[in-house]
């Protein structure tokens, strides 16, 4: 049995591998052995009724997100996932289904379950179709939280494809973000991801919410007892705040880049709801994949990409920066650094996870 009162190796850390966090730097942290974290996530999900293979898939994905430095989509997510199953918001026994509609378009229906298996099925399918025909599209519907989008973009890029993912349509149930110029939360975070084969260091990956931060950072900061950076949220009167409670007391997340993030969010809403139809569960998604070998051989594309990216990496850094980074390489470097390291969680978050595991009487030996 797990003793929630005795978490292992509590300490505060300034480890550069953890510097990608948006939580305040004085947030106390606990290091959890990755195999223990995996057993907890798998145990909680199976206790809630998920098939064991799906539970393992979700646990792998969350731990990979933490190792990639994307804490907003990491192991802490097991807390809201458990709540979603308890409330009936997600179906524990759901398995995604691949089908065609009456117009011939390919769709993955998540059957109201967690979205990570559905997104994994979709990316494998769209890669296969792109390799066969050059260009492919697939939509996703009736899915819960889909995890870190960059993971799917990486998979497609490693397979030689350009992949574009656009999500949205959840505005009625997930009013999180204020439209640019407004102070009321009316939109979801409507994320995008792009993956494309890169240079010698791997794919170029773009993965961002159209909000100033993913909602997971705000919800996670509340659980962790941490403050947020400036420029992420406003309070109910439209004033800037760093306290996550200001968001939960009627505030809103801001758009990324002001009108630019807002415009991208509106475009995602048009694609995901107006085009794909009313949303069930969290969001609708569209994936587009292109076989890059239609234009360049993989070797030649890598050579050209590396020439471009090397010039960017060697740009003299501005004051306050150590170097210029390439999108996606930071996450790849973090995974390499963290491959054999424990998962680092805010101590307050770990305490809640340990308490959940204890409540469920999980056998973690």
């Amino acid at each position: 049995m797990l003793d929630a009162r005795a978490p292992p190796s509590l300490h505060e850390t300034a480890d550069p591998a953890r510097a990608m966090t948006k939580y305040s730097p004085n947030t106390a942290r606990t290091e959890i052995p990755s195999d223990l974290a995996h057993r907890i996530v798998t145990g909680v999900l199976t206790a809630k009724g998920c098939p064991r293979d799906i539970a393992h898939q979700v646990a792998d994905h969350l731990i990979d997100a933490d190792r990639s430095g994307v804490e907003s989509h990491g192991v802490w997510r097991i807390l809201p996932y458990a709540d979603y199953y308890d409330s009936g918001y997600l179906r524990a026994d759901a398995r995604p289904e691949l089908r065609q509609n009456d117009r011939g378009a390919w769709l993955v229906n998540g059957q109201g379950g967690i979205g990570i298996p559905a997104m994994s099925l979709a990316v494998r399918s769209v890669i296969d179709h792109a390799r066969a025909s050059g260009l492919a599209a697939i939509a996703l519907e009736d899915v819960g939280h889909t995890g870190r989008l960059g993971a799917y973009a990486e998979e497609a890029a490693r397979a030689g494809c350009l992949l574009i993912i656009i999500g949205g349509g959840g505005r009625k149930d997930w009013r999180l973000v204020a439209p640019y110029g407004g102070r009321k939360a009316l939109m979801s975070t409507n994320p995008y991801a792009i993956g494309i084969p890169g240079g010698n260091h791997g794919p170029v990956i773009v993965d961002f919410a159209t909000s100033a931060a993913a909602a997971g950072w705000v919800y996670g900061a509340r659980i962790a007892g941490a403050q947020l950076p400036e420029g992420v949220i406003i309070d109910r009167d439209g004033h800037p705040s760093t306290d996550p409670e200001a968001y939960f007391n009627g505030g809103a997340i801001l758009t990324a880049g002001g009108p630019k993030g807002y415009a991208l969010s509106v475009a995602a809403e048009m694609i995901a709801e107006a085009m794909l139809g009313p949303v069930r569960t969290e969001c609708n998604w569209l994936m587009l994949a292109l076989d890059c070998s239609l234009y360049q051989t993989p070797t030649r594309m890598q050579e050209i990409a590396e020439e471009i990216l090397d010039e960017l990496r060697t740009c003299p850094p501005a004051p306050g920066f150590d170097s210029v980074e390439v999108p996606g390489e930071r996450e790849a470097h973090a995974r390499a650094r963290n491959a054999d390291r424990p998962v680092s969680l805010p101590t307050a978050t770990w305490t809640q996870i340990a308490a959940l595991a204890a409540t469920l009487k999980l056998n973690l030996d």
Side-chain angles (χ1 to χ4, degrees), residues 72-73 76-77 176 189 209 211 213-221 247-248 253:
S72 60
H73 289 64
W76 83 271
R77 286 274 181 178
L176 308 170
T189 57
S211 51
W217 284 117
V218 182
Y219 283 74
Y247 165 81
F248 290 99
I253 306 173

Side-chain angles (χ1 to χ4, degrees), residues 196-207:
I196 189 168
N200 298 341
H201 298 274
V204 171
I205 305 297
V206 179
D207 176 4

Side-chain angles (χ1 to χ4, degrees), residues 8-15 27-31 342 344-345 347:
S9 63
L10 171 64
H11 66 94
E12 295 182 8
T13 179
D15 188 333
T27 302
R29 289 185 168 271
T30 297
E31 291 194 341
S344 175
L345 293 173
T347 300

Side-chain angles (χ1 to χ4, degrees), residues 119-305:
M119 192 67 81
S120 297
L121 174 60
V123 75
R124 292 194 304 269
S125 177
V126 82
I127 290 169
D128 289 344
H129 282 90
R131 283 172 163 171
S133 62
L135 179 66
I138 193 165
L140 293 91
E141 60 185 9
D142 200 8
V143 294
H145 190 256
T146 50
R148 182 176 74 91
L149 296 183
Y152 314 113
E154 289 160 6
E155 183 175 350
R158 287 193 296 267
C161 290
L162 163 66
L163 184 77
I164 300 172
I165 306 174
I166 304 168
R171 62 188 175 83
K172 292 182 179 178
D173 293 326
W174 295 95
R175 295 189 182 274
L176 308 170
V177 181
Y180 180 67
R183 70 178 193 221
K184 182 179 179 181
L186 294 177
M187 309 180 77
S188 189
T189 57
N190 293 1
Y192 285 65
I194 301 171
I196 189 168
N200 298 341
H201 298 274
V204 171
I205 305 297
V206 179
D207 176 4
F208 63 92
T210 53
S211 51
W217 284 117
V218 182
Y219 283 74
R222 186 192 205 188
I223 292 171
Q227 295 290 297
L228 291 161
E230 294 181 359
V232 173
I233 59 172
I234 52 175
D235 66 17
R236 64 189 307 161
D237 297 317
H239 299 130
S241 179
T242 61
D243 183 357
E245 290 302 327
Y247 165 81
F248 290 99
N249 290 327
I253 306 173
L254 294 168
T255 54
K260 294 181 181 179
Y262 173 54
L264 287 168
S265 185
V266 172
E269 205 70 21
M270 296 300 100
I271 292 165
E273 184 176 359
M275 185 177 81
L276 297 181
V279 168
R280 288 173 291 165
T281 317
E282 186 165 303
C283 282
N284 287 337
W285 299 87
L286 182 67
M287 269 190 197
L288 304 171
L290 172 74
D291 182 351
C292 295
S293 68
L294 290 173
Y295 296 96
Q296 296 286 351
T297 66
T299 300
R300 181 57 181 150
M301 182 171 179
Q302 181 175 333
E303 290 172 352
I304 299 171

Side-chain angles (χ1 to χ4, degrees), residues 289-360:
L290 172 74
D291 182 351
C292 295
S293 68
L294 290 173
Y295 296 96
Q296 296 286 351
T297 66
T299 300
R300 181 57 181 150
M301 182 171 179
Q302 181 175 333
E303 290 172 352
I304 299 171
E306 181 58 25
E307 179 184 347
I308 297 166
L309 300 176
D310 183 63
E311 184 174 38
L312 298 177
R313 292 189 208 100
T314 56
C315 178
F321 291 85
D322 295 326
S323 64
V324 173
E325 296 180 295
V326 171
E329 291 184 2
R330 176 190 288 197
E331 291 78 6
H333 294 158
R335 278 195 300 278
R337 286 195 306 267
N338 296 330
D340 298 320
R341 294 183 180 183
V343 174
S344 175
L345 293 173
T347 300
T349 304
W350 163 245
T351 299
Q352 290 194 38
I353 293 173
L356 173 62
T359 298
L360 294 172

